[in-house]
Amino acid sequence: MPVAKPEASDSRVIAHIDMDCFYVQVEQRKHPQLRGLPTAVVQYNSWKGGGLIAVSYEARNYGVKRSMRGDEAKEVCPEIQLVQVPVARGKADLNTYREAGSQVVSILARRGRCERSSIDEVYLDLTDAAERMLTETSPHSLETIIEEALKSHVLGITSREDGIDVKEKVREWLCKSDADRRDKLLACGVLIVADLRMQVLQETQFTCSAGIAHNKMLAKLASAMNKPAQQTAVPFSSVKGLLESFPIKKMKQLGGKLGSSLQTDLGVNTVGDLWQFSEGKLQERYGINTGTWLWNIARGINGEEVEGRLLPKSHGSGKTFPGPRALKNLPSVQHWLNELCEELSERLQSDLEHNRRIARNLTLHAHAYKPNDSDSHDKFPSKSCALRYGTLKIQEDAMNLFQVGLREFLDSSKVTQGGWGITGLSVSASKIIAIPSGTCSIKKYFQGQQPICSSSKPLEDGYIETTEHPSLSFSGDEDSTSVPIELPGQEVPYFPCNGVDFGQEAAASTSGLTFCVGRESCSESNLVEPESTLPEEPRREPKTHALDQQVRKNPSVEKGKSSSILDFFRRADTNSPLQKQDQADKMQGRHQSHRRGSSQERETWHYKADEIDPSVINELPPEFQEEVRDWLRPLKRPNVVKGGSGVSIASFFSSTNKP
Ligand code: TTP
């Protein structure tokens, strides 16, 4: 549902950047001999030459369209070059395109807040950069204006009829010293975007188009107006002219039922047609929020912020099984779900390694049909659960979600068996959060491997989803495919685990999420000695935690031989012993300072013992659990949920991150 949001300021400078025929450009960069030729990227399925998913502008000139199949495109344009999308696991592999998109994003993010809105689209908030430019190097003070900026389209100022004078008109507009401040800022935005687009071209060989306006909605409309490799600005005075004749169904969020209702119920075909309806009237018909939103967008008002997000909000992997390829039994569904989950798991792993982010939610979507129900393809319910890391776990959970969905789907029409078919399957991981600083892999730590910890440096995109508290499961089992949170190759001065102080070192691990506490340095010399000889964990050993295994395998930390968790950790760090009494004393306060043990590097850090998730304790070796519970018992707040179901490790981290 659209959300009405008033604009905090009409002096913002927002750009929308859209890559031109993106997949084609990526393929042309890979195969330079294709440059300048009519080219299209086709799906891997070769039926009738494969479905076109991206079409070069040269091919578009021949009338080739994305809706065509390869064979049809060849009829329209016999010399068209068809490039097959890369394939992995029997489905399209989009990694090359994603990576190319990331490369572009990293360039665009240089001048302002950047939101990656799709694989090839980005919003930029250039307000600060434009204000700086206006103060320091205002366009009217510039001797030369870059050519790319002069080629801009400025709505209401330039038109096709301008012919050779067009650049002169743009120059005048850009350099007008007595212009409205909002237009002056926009002019700065035009220069900045032209420069960024040039950088993208030089560094990636890709062209892109852009819209520059004072909000996201107008910028997006403008970027599509002149493609490829061009940019369009919307001065304040031109908003009305732009919207007046704009088809209502082409507006974002009006392509579906709401847009159709405006057409059929109110006779609204263009945005201008909406102007005759008061806000009250629209609210009466569509509710307060939607009514206001409609009234606003009709006037070009859109307060949506550019979110600082360089990375995708979710990961997904899907495949369609049209017509005779529909999946008709559980083993075939299982097979494809396994493939999709494997891909998803790889991407989650990569996101974790490269961006230090974890996803918390797994969703399964399916398209299905059943006998005697022509509408049934809309009715397969999407199902979600907390995401557990590890390919096998994701596969298992996805299959369970599918079966729950299938039961519901079939029950709704009393069809209990047979006759159903699955025409589309997808799994997605969402509710992604950045791992808070201060986490590292206790598993690696205790195995004496290269210490790998997070730094306290924030993520480059600063993206942390805060709307919902996470619900990671604390099952305590772990297989080799589960993912400890660890940050390769990073050195931090100590393990600043935000919150728990179990002694000099303590650790807890969830399935796929591991944190530890205590040490100043992850240097190998401080690690438990014999671990390097330990074998890797077996690939699948459910219900056996890494730390438990460690305790069993390592004679120095065998069950029963360590009288307490402190002893256990003392053995792990003979350089910095900590007295149990000291520690018990420290645990008495809710906000404690803990003096680091190393004589060389002393640090003071804080924790909030009352915010420790009790389920964390279940992750410790059994012989230590009671002891730690004793430490914490007097400090527990009555409303702390037990068992890990309500309070999760991520909320634990985020709460301890509070100032
Ligand atoms: P778009 O931005 O919609 O289109 P485009 O970049 O190919 O062309 P344009 O210059 O008109 O913006 O999509 C970006 C990429 O996403 C596109 O190159 C291929 C892929 N894509 C699909 O795989 N399937 C689809 O249905 C669409 C619309 C896009």
Side-chain angles (χ1 to χ4, degrees):
M1 180 188 283
V3 176
K5 201 171 175 215
E7 285 187 30
S9 158
D10 59 11
S11 299
R12 293 187 298 161
V13 178
I14 308 294
H16 177 256
I17 318 283
D18 185 11
M19 305 308 292
D20 303 316
C21 56
F22 188 48
Y23 289 11
V24 170
Q25 288 205 77
V26 175
E27 293 302 333
Q28 287 177 331
R29 184 170 72 169
K30 253 197 279 176
H31 311 286
Q33 70 277 15
L34 297 176
R35 278 194 194 287
L37 301 179
T39 307
V41 176
V42 293
Q43 277 285 17
Y44 70 97
N45 162 25
S46 58
W47 183 66
K48 290 193 175 175
L52 270 54
I53 53 174
V55 181
S56 76
Y57 281 83
E58 292 85 356
R60 292 183 204 194
N61 290 339
Y62 286 85
V64 178
K65 294 194 168 56
R66 190 168 11 217
S67 54
M68 294 176 174
R69 298 200 76 87
D71 291 352
E72 205 180 344
K74 276 189 178 152
E75 279 171 28
V76 180
C77 172
E79 59 269 53
I80 193 163
Q81 308 290 314
L82 299 177
V83 185
Q84 204 193 51
V85 78
V87 178
R89 300 187 184 88
K91 58 184 284 298
D93 176 8
L94 306 182
N95 277 333
T96 327
Y97 308 125
R98 280 192 201 102
E99 279 158 23
S102 303
Q103 211 185 339
V104 173
V105 167
S106 68
I107 296 166
L108 294 175
R110 289 172 187 164
R111 299 297 293 274
R113 192 160 67 242
C114 177
E115 175 184 330
R116 188 173 188 177
S117 64
S118 80
I119 198 161
D120 77 331
E121 284 176 60
V122 159
Y123 287 100
L124 298 175
D125 186 333
L126 299 170
T127 312
D128 290 347
E131 277 174 351
R132 260 195 314 278
M133 180 183 272
L134 195 57
T135 317
E136 292 163 16
T137 51
S138 174
H140 76 264
S141 68
L142 294 176
E143 278 182 18
T144 51
I145 301 281
I146 60 167
E147 185 68 11
E148 198 53 39
L150 294 177
K151 289 197 288 188
S152 303
H153 302 260
V154 184
L155 295 187
I157 306 295
T158 56
S159 69
R160 283 172 207 273
E161 290 78 53
D162 289 335
I164 52 167
D165 283 344
V166 69
K167 285 188 195 166
E168 210 35 58
K169 283 199 163 186
V170 173
R171 185 195 303 278
E172 271 173 32
W173 182 79
L174 288 172
C175 301
K176 199 163 179 245
S177 59
D178 59 349
D180 179 62
R181 180 178 161 80
R182 294 172 305 195
D183 277 1
K184 282 187 179 175
L185 284 171
L186 212 57
C188 294
V190 166
L191 293 176
I192 294 166
V193 171
D195 181 46
L196 282 171
R197 288 180 42 245
M198 293 305 293
Q199 290 181 40
V200 169
L201 182 62
Q202 281 157 9
E203 295 177 39
T204 68
Q205 304 169 31
F206 299 145
T207 67
C208 56
S209 300
I212 306 114
H214 68 272
N215 67 39
K216 283 170 89 173
M217 180 187 87
L218 295 168
K220 168 123 178 143
L221 290 185
S223 69
M225 294 182 80
N226 295 288
K227 289 200 99 198
Q230 296 171 77
Q231 60 181 53
T232 306
V234 189
F236 218 78
S237 55
S238 307
V239 174
K240 200 171 170 199
L242 164 66
L243 294 175
E244 186 164 20
S245 55
F246 202 87
I248 199 78
K249 291 279 278 182
K250 286 203 168 171
M251 294 292 284
K252 196 175 163 197
Q253 304 198 61
L254 290 180
K257 287 180 188 162
L258 182 55
S260 300
S261 161
L262 287 168
Q263 281 183 316
T264 51
D265 302 336
L266 299 184
V268 168
N269 291 308
T270 65
V271 177
D273 292 341
L274 257 183
W275 295 343
Q276 61 188 294
F277 298 98
S278 68
E279 186 175 356
K281 185 91 192 154
L282 293 170
Q283 287 179 336
E284 215 173 274
R285 174 132 211 136
Y286 295 108
I288 293 195
N289 185 53
T290 305
T292 299
W293 179 79
L294 284 168
W295 192 89
N296 283 348
I297 59 130
R299 286 151 188 81
I301 299 168
N302 173 243
E304 251 181 284
E305 296 286 341
V306 173
E307 293 172 30
R309 172 162 50 78
L310 308 187
L311 301 167
K313 249 179 163 167
S314 62
H315 301 290
S317 177
K319 184 174 168 66
T320 55
F321 309 95
R325 293 208 303 277
L327 309 178
K328 296 190 174 129
N329 53 52
L330 289 177
S332 59
V333 170
Q334 174 90 71
H335 166 80
W336 282 109
L337 268 186
N338 285 351
E339 297 290 325
L340 299 177
C341 291
E342 199 175 314
E343 189 202 342
L344 183 66
S345 184
E346 271 175 21
R347 286 175 51 204
L348 287 168
Q349 174 83 47
S350 166
D351 201 9
L352 183 59
E353 278 168 14
H354 296 113
N355 310 313
R356 286 179 273 146
R357 303 197 309 162
I358 49 169
R360 296 167 292 150
N361 196 58
L362 176 71
T363 304
L364 176 123
H365 301 278
H367 280 267
Y369 64 77
K370 55 192 168 188
N372 311 321
D373 187 351
S374 55
D375 292 335
S376 59
H377 59 273
D378 284 336
K379 294 179 187 159
F380 196 101
S382 294
K383 293 285 165 195
S384 297
C385 67
L387 191 147
R388 299 188 301 152
Y389 271 72
T391 306
L392 294 172
K393 288 174 183 167
I394 295 173
Q395 288 169 337
E396 183 186 323
D397 291 345
M399 191 62 196
N400 286 338
L401 292 176
F402 175 80
Q403 288 187 317
V404 173
L406 183 67
R407 258 197 306 278
E408 232 173 82
F409 175 70
L410 296 178
D411 278 357
S412 65
S413 63
K414 309 288 174 224
V415 174
T416 49
Q417 56 184 357
W420 53 269
I422 301 296
T423 54
L425 267 182
S426 76
V427 282
S428 61
S430 59
K431 296 187 183 168
I432 296 179
I433 57 163
I435 300 169
S437 57
T439 56
C440 72
S441 165
I442 191 69
K443 181 176 161 188
K444 285 274 166 65
Y445 177 71
F446 280 100
Q447 284 178 346
Q449 298 181 15
Q450 184 64 31
I452 300 169
C453 309
S454 69
S455 77
S456 52
K457 178 176 163 282
L459 277 183
E460 61 178 339
D461 63 342
Y463 172 60
I464 298 183
E465 200 175 89
T466 53
T467 46
E468 248 183 88
H469 276 283
S471 55
L472 282 160
S473 69
F474 279 73
S475 63
D477 59 339
E478 183 167 339
D479 61 37
S480 66
T481 54
S482 71
V483 186
I485 288 177
E486 53 198 30
L487 306 158
Q490 290 198 321
E491 288 261 336
V492 287
Y494 64 97
F495 291 179
C497 284
N498 308 305
V500 187
D501 187 346
F502 287 152
Q504 185 62 10
E505 283 98 32
S509 169
T510 72
S511 55
L513 181 61
T514 313
F515 72 91
C516 77
V517 182
R519 297 189 61 90
E520 217 144 340
S521 161
C522 292
S523 67
E524 270 179 285
S525 60
N526 287 333
L527 304 180
V528 184
E529 321 100 55
E531 277 74 11
S532 54
T533 58
L534 289 172
E536 269 292 325
E537 277 184 283
R539 185 167 157 75
R540 295 179 71 183
E541 205 171 79
K543 308 292 173 207
T544 307
H545 190 272
L547 197 48
D548 283 322
Q549 286 198 334
Q550 203 63 49
V551 171
R552 279 192 280 107
K553 291 173 186 172
N554 182 346
S556 71
V557 290
E558 262 174 22
K559 184 169 176 170
K561 291 203 179 167
S562 302
S563 58
S564 78
I565 191 167
L566 295 178
D567 289 346
F568 177 76
F569 289 120
R570 252 183 228 126
R571 285 174 200 174
D573 181 9
T574 50
N575 291 334
S576 50
L578 186 74
Q579 295 303 309
K580 179 176 179 179
Q581 189 54 52
D582 276 3
Q583 192 53 39
D585 290 344
K586 286 180 201 305
M587 295 302 293
Q588 295 306 309
R590 289 177 183 226
H591 291 77
Q592 299 279 5
S593 286
H594 172 52
R595 179 83 45 95
R596 314 296 312 166
S598 159
S599 57
Q600 287 166 331
E601 295 171 73
R602 284 181 177 270
E603 282 266 6
T604 299
W605 57 284
H606 301 269
Y607 60 84
K608 282 185 175 181
D610 59 346
E611 289 183 359
I612 293 168
D613 182 344
S615 62
V616 155
I617 299 164
N618 300 334
E619 304 288 326
L620 290 167
E623 65 268 34
F624 304 143
Q625 292 183 7
E626 213 33 56
E627 182 177 5
V628 177
R629 275 196 194 95
D630 280 348
W631 288 349
L632 298 179
R633 203 157 280 138
L635 304 173
K636 281 275 154 275
R637 283 190 310 232
N639 61 348
V640 172
V641 180
K642 297 220 178 220
S645 57
V647 181
S648 67
I649 194 157
S651 62
F652 161 72
F653 279 133
S654 54
S655 62
T656 53
N657 273 342
K658 283 176 198 156

